[in-house]
Amino acid sequence: MAFLQFPAPSSLLQPLKSEYFQKKELELWMLRLDLLHPLVSGNKWLKLSGWLPEGFDKGIITQGGPWSNHVHAAAAYCHLAGMPFKAIINARENMRTAMLDDVHAWGGEIIFANRTAFANREKWQEMAATHGMLWIPTGGDGQAVRCAGRPRGQ
C-alpha cells in the first residue's frame, strides 16, 4: 500500500483551546482522522484496511447507499491501487450523486439494486468469488480492524 502516503501520527493531533479550558487548567486534543488521506480518510480507511490481505490486488465488491462514505473510500482505494471495483448501490437505476460520480470517474462499476436484491448478500458474495474479488459488506462491518500500516495481531 505504498501508494497511500499517510502523515505522521503526531500531525493528526490538534489542541483545542478555549478560555474555559484554560481556566479549568484542561488540555483537550482532537485526533483528526479526516487528515489521513484526501480521498481515503478517517475511520473509513481504518475499517477498510482491516479487510485487505497483504498484497491483495484482485479488486473489491462492496455495498452501500448512494452517498456512502464507505463505498467512496473503497472506490478511491481501488482507483489508487489500479484494482477493479464494483459497488452494489441501494438506489433507483441511474441515480446520480457526487459520490457515485466519483466512483464512475475512477472506473468503478455501479450496480443499482432494489431493497430486496441489495439485501441478498449471498448473491454479491458469489459474484465476488466468481471474479476472484474481495467482498466487503456494507460499511466494512464485521471484520476486526487493525491500525493502518501495522500487521494484524499487533
Side-chain angles (χ1 to χ4, degrees):
M1 290 182 262
F3 56 88
L4 287 176
Q5 299 298 318
F6 294 105
S10 60
S11 69
L12 300 177
L13 285 172
Q14 295 181 351
L16 295 176
K17 298 182 182 204
S18 76
E19 283 185 34
Y20 177 81
F21 294 153
Q22 286 177 328
K23 286 178 185 175
K24 297 290 187 180
E25 297 182 13
L26 296 173
E27 275 189 33
L28 184 62
W29 292 76
M30 181 184 332
L31 179 60
R32 296 285 311 275
L33 293 176
D34 59 309
L35 301 176
L36 276 174
H37 191 275
L39 297 176
V40 187
S41 67
N43 75 320
K44 298 305 175 194
W45 164 245
L46 296 176
K47 288 175 83 175
L48 185 60
S49 70
W51 280 96
L52 300 168
E54 201 64 40
F56 182 79
D57 64 356
K58 304 294 185 208
I60 293 172
I61 295 178
T62 194
Q63 297 177 275
W67 293 99
S68 170
N69 288 325
H70 163 71
V71 169
H72 193 263
Y77 176 86
C78 287
H79 171 69
L80 293 168
M83 291 191 294
F85 178 73
K86 295 178 188 286
I88 314 307
I89 302 298
N90 186 9
R92 67 181 174 2
E93 192 73 29
N94 297 318
M95 181 176 188
R96 299 236 1 230
T97 66
M99 188 280 296
L100 294 174
D101 288 347
D102 282 348
V103 171
H104 181 73
W106 295 329
E109 180 182 348
I110 298 169
I111 300 168
F112 292 97
N114 64 29
R115 192 174 304 182
T116 303
F118 183 85
N120 187 353
R121 286 184 167 199
E122 292 80 18
K123 175 182 178 178
W124 310 120
Q125 288 171 324
E126 187 176 310
M127 176 189 283
T130 299
H131 294 283
M133 297 171 77
L134 178 66
W135 181 79
I136 300 176
T138 307
D141 292 341
Q143 182 77 2
V145 175
R146 64 184 166 100
C147 293
R150 296 189 65 186
R152 292 176 196 271
Q154 288 191 359

